[in-house]
Amino acid sequence: MSEIIVGIDLGTTNSAVAVVQDGQPRILPKGDQRIIPSVVGWSKESGWLVGRPALNQYALNPDQTIRSIKRKMGSNERVAIGNREFTPQEISAFILRELKTIAEKNLGQPVNKAVITVPAYFTNAQRQATKEAGEIAGLEVVRIINEPTAAALAYGLDHEEDQLALVYDLGGGTFDVSLVEMTGGVVEVRASHGDTHLGGDDFDHILAEHASKLFYKKHQISLKDNRVALARLNRAAEAAKVHLSDFPETHLREEYLAEQNGVPRHLDETVSRLEFEEMTEELLDKTIASMERVFKDAELNAEELDRVLLVGGATRMPAVWTLVANYTGLEPDVEINPDEVVALGAAVQAAIIAGQPVESILVDVTPYSLGIEAATVMGGQLIPDIYSVLIHRNTTIPVTKEEVFQTLHPNQKAVHIKVYQGEQPVASANTLLGDFLIEGLKPAAPGEHPSVNVRFDFDVNGMLRVSAVDHIGGSQKSLSVQATQARLTPHEIAEARERLPELELAPAAEYLSANGNQPVIDEETQALLTRAQALLAGGALTEAQSAELAELVQDIFDATTQDELDELAEELLDMLFDLE
Ligand code: AMP
């Protein structure tokens, strides 16, 4: 039997082990768990606990449970479990030993060697401590590699032409961003920056704090000093946060959270993604400063990037995708599970060291973005035909996404749902997959806009099921279409490419023809209007910028002479230059 070297992601919040088999890197699971929490505990009944059982006892037994030991690696601090003290290396060794056992059970042979990943900013002392933890666990650590390097290897970037990639890593407790350069098959971290106290946990805390305030308002019970209730609240908040990554709304429920005069009090609140994103906006804004910093340190700028990789479970939040896409101007790569990518990359490095052949990781993804047509009113101007994407291109399938859309008018009783696939910001420039009408809509209250929940379910066979439900009235309608088979022949693609400018500009042209004898908008101005439309729909502008841009677009539509129109078009060109 050949000697096995496994790849290990020893994370602050979660850890995973992977190996290359038959040329393919794969995660080695424990039952149905592909990653395990990096938690170690002791209980009188069960003895030592590692992973999920240790995390489960945390709420009840926080004094006998250790989380986030990675933060202490390389220091001389000791941690206590009960009345015994341990070095950080010893606690990490518990986790590594568990991963070694998981690997051995999966592979049916002993595992004695590993590649382990560490953050790019880890000092020599921290790397050394990681190696020692491996040795305590009975693993020879054949190489320590940087986490962003592992991500680049998992995406096979070492096989490609020279590339510059930004790796944006938001885990449970830490954030870091790195610029990774590949030249001649050599992967190097050019710059790295981050915040060792920013991660998914902070999003949970903000949501838990919000829930705790609502609970106080309703029952006048403060949970501040109730450690067990707070731990349960945090767990519920995390589950709600994860749900909000795919759905526009979630319930924060926790039964028997507290007691009042012998009466049990439950938590039951609804939170929308929009509310959640507003509450946590500041946290994400902090990551922008780090991105700016790495570009400055490496003396590079965002235009030079070839790829953007998202790493860490918390990058599944849609707001992260949008933030990073807007900042870099590139669509981030998300094909590989963000919480598995580092372990898979470590396995690739391990295979390279062992001289094993490695192929690229195969994942099933959506080949196109999928969404619906939407319209919005901005600065009093109706902007029609906006492509609102529910599932971005290259998302791993199967996938389910849901969004809420409001009707344009309070008295609107029906909505026409048009489903498209493609990448153009103008909906009608994409491929129409199907459409249907949902009728009999009801508003929540008189004068309010009715709203419709639109849900996309995309399965492994490429079937897309789109359903729309009236938020209040409950009536629903759905449609199933084969999405991936609608691929075009090369001839059709060539034809469509020629037709593209005309298609993209259709809405503006239609608007004008419906509005009588106005000066003619030439192709160039139409292209500017399309760019303006995309910017307005993209959500990256401040309110003031949006208002200014919408006003200028409106002025162009309202221009009464050709000279006036040309002058305004010139102004739009300048404004787009600044905003884009
Ligand atoms: P990691 O350290 O990479 O395993 O990331 C763990 C963090 O990712 C935790 O804060 C999780 O709550 C968070 N996370 C995992 N899945 C999701 C999801 N679907 N949406 C939002 N956060 C998630």
Side-chain angles (χ1 to χ4, degrees):
M1 244 183 280
S2 68
E3 189 172 40
I4 295 267
I5 310 177
V6 293
I8 290 179
D9 170 11
L10 183 61
T12 308
T13 318
N14 293 300
S15 295
V17 56
V19 74
V20 171
Q21 279 180 316
D22 305 323
Q24 276 287 306
R26 48 177 61 104
I27 293 285
L28 300 172
K30 179 181 185 183
D32 59 359
Q33 284 179 63
R34 298 173 62 80
I35 55 178
I36 63 161
S38 306
V39 185
V40 176
W42 164 261
S43 90
K44 238 194 274 159
E45 302 75 34
S46 322
W48 286 107
L49 302 168
V50 180
R52 176 124 334 255
L55 181 64
N56 287 345
Q57 77 146 11
Y58 178 73
L60 300 170
N61 208 354
D63 295 334
Q64 310 265 33
T65 316
I66 306 285
R67 300 171 63 165
S68 305
I69 192 64
K70 188 169 171 177
R71 294 189 193 289
K72 298 200 163 66
M73 290 293 271
S75 74
N76 292 325
E77 249 182 86
R78 297 282 187 273
V79 291
I81 293 188
N83 51 14
R84 297 166 66 185
E85 286 204 340
F86 297 89
T87 63
Q89 290 93 315
E90 284 169 314
I91 298 296
S92 291
F94 274 108
I95 301 165
L96 289 171
R97 198 177 58 190
E98 173 75 1
L99 294 170
K100 175 172 154 44
T101 308
I102 292 171
E104 288 172 342
K105 281 198 178 142
N106 274 275
L107 299 170
Q109 70 179 90
V111 171
N112 300 313
K113 291 187 175 181
V115 168
I116 302 183
T117 59
V118 295
Y121 59 79
F122 252 30
T123 60
N124 271 341
Q126 289 168 306
R127 287 166 198 258
Q128 185 56 33
T130 306
K131 256 188 145 166
E132 288 164 9
E135 277 158 29
I136 298 170
L139 285 170
E140 180 192 340
V141 182
V142 294
R143 181 110 26 117
I144 295 271
I145 66 167
N146 291 324
E147 288 159 9
T149 304
L153 289 175
Y155 272 99
L157 264 51
D158 53 324
H159 298 316
E160 296 183 15
E161 298 267 290
D162 296 353
Q163 300 247 323
L164 181 69
L166 181 84
V167 181
Y168 180 105
D169 182 348
L170 188 63
T174 58
F175 164 71
D176 50 80
V177 59
S178 311
L179 276 169
V180 181
E181 193 172 46
M182 269 71 51
T183 27
V186 177
V187 189
E188 187 200 1
V189 177
R190 284 280 302 265
S192 192
H193 193 257
D195 185 336
T196 48
H197 287 90
L198 173 67
D201 295 352
D202 297 296
F203 292 74
D204 306 346
H205 292 153
I206 289 184
L207 202 50
E209 180 89 348
H210 169 75
S212 150
K213 279 189 190 143
L214 293 175
F215 193 76
Y216 182 80
K217 219 162 148 192
K218 221 174 244 174
H219 306 294
Q220 278 76 54
I221 304 174
S222 165
L223 301 172
K224 244 202 297 215
D225 302 318
N226 186 341
R227 263 185 98 172
V228 172
L230 283 179
R232 286 177 59 200
L233 200 57
N234 256 319
R235 208 167 48 184
E238 183 184 7
K241 170 192 75 175
V242 167
H243 194 252
L244 283 176
S245 289
D246 298 328
F247 298 91
E249 205 172 82
T250 192
H251 294 289
L252 252 168
R253 276 203 194 107
E254 199 62 22
E255 297 204 335
Y256 302 105
L257 193 57
E259 216 183 61
Q260 200 169 37
N261 308 325
V263 183
R265 297 293 181 205
H266 316 302
L267 171 79
D268 189 0
E269 299 291 346
T270 305
V271 186
S272 74
R273 185 190 297 159
L274 206 65
E275 286 173 299
F276 172 65
E277 287 178 353
E278 275 169 12
M279 272 179 240
T280 54
E281 197 179 353
E282 268 180 34
L283 294 178
L284 280 191
D285 282 350
K286 285 194 200 168
T287 69
I288 297 178
S290 293
M291 285 196 277
E292 278 168 2
R293 179 68 190 271
V294 287
F295 281 112
K296 202 165 158 234
D297 287 354
E299 296 178 355
L300 291 166
N301 54 54
E303 286 85 60
E304 293 171 74
L305 281 179
D306 301 295
R307 303 275 288 264
V308 179
L309 314 181
L310 293 188
V311 176
T315 60
R316 287 207 180 87
M317 290 185 287
V320 170
W321 195 99
T322 311
L323 178 114
V324 179
N326 285 338
Y327 184 80
T328 59
L330 292 176
E331 272 184 34
D333 279 297
V334 289
E335 294 96 306
I336 306 177
N337 268 339
D339 31 26
E340 297 177 0
V341 58
V342 169
L344 292 168
V348 170
Q349 179 68 70
I352 294 171
I353 293 170
Q356 268 179 278
V358 193
E359 292 159 21
S360 309
I361 298 176
L362 289 177
V363 277
D364 255 343
V365 296
T366 53
Y368 306 102
S369 298
L370 297 158
I372 64 166
E373 181 193 309
T376 188
V377 176
M378 209 158 291
Q381 167 72 40
L382 174 73
I383 304 183
D385 209 7
I386 296 169
Y387 186 38
S388 178
V389 172
L390 275 91
I391 300 178
H392 288 285
R393 172 170 59 177
N394 285 339
T395 304
T396 315
I397 52 179
V399 56
T400 293
K401 294 280 172 186
E402 200 176 297
E403 294 280 346
V404 177
F405 292 88
Q406 276 201 336
T407 60
L408 273 176
H409 309 290
N411 297 329
Q412 196 170 329
K413 298 278 183 297
V415 172
H416 189 185
I417 306 278
K418 286 189 181 172
V419 181
Y420 287 98
Q421 75 178 16
E423 317 306 324
Q424 302 299 327
V426 174
S428 58
N430 297 295
T431 308
L432 182 66
L433 293 178
D435 65 329
F436 61 91
L437 202 65
I438 171 159
E439 293 169 289
L441 304 180
K442 295 196 170 59
E448 284 189 14
H449 293 242
S451 53
V452 176
N453 280 29
V454 177
R455 177 180 167 127
F456 276 34
D457 289 288
F458 194 94
D459 72 11
V460 285
N461 303 314
M463 264 327 254
L464 173 70
R465 188 185 143 85
V466 178
S467 45
V469 181
D470 175 7
H471 207 58
I472 299 298
S475 64
Q476 55 175 299
K477 205 77 177 276
S478 68
L479 163 87
S480 286
V481 277
Q482 184 73 37
T484 48
Q485 281 182 359
R487 282 199 181 140
L488 300 174
T489 63
H491 176 68
E492 284 170 320
I493 290 173
E495 257 187 17
R497 194 174 296 136
E498 273 174 30
R499 238 168 2 123
L500 193 64
E502 178 197 324
L503 278 176
E504 274 185 14
L505 307 170
E510 269 164 28
Y511 179 89
L512 282 184
S513 63
N515 276 273
N517 285 334
Q518 272 160 343
V520 180
I521 290 190
D522 61 13
E523 251 184 38
E524 245 170 66
T525 311
Q526 287 188 347
L528 293 179
L529 287 169
T530 307
R531 276 161 62 192
Q533 220 171 51
L535 264 184
L536 287 167
L541 303 182
T542 64
E543 234 170 70
Q545 288 170 332
S546 288
E548 202 182 342
L549 181 59
E551 200 177 319
L552 184 53
V553 169
Q554 166 102 57
D555 289 346
I556 291 180
F557 284 131
D558 290 344
T560 48
T561 66
Q562 192 67 46
D563 281 350
E564 187 189 353
L565 193 146
D566 292 344
E567 209 171 289
L568 290 166
E570 197 65 30
E571 216 177 290
L572 180 60
L573 180 67
D574 289 343
M575 195 184 287
L576 288 174
F577 182 77
D578 287 336
L579 295 176
E580 283 173 346

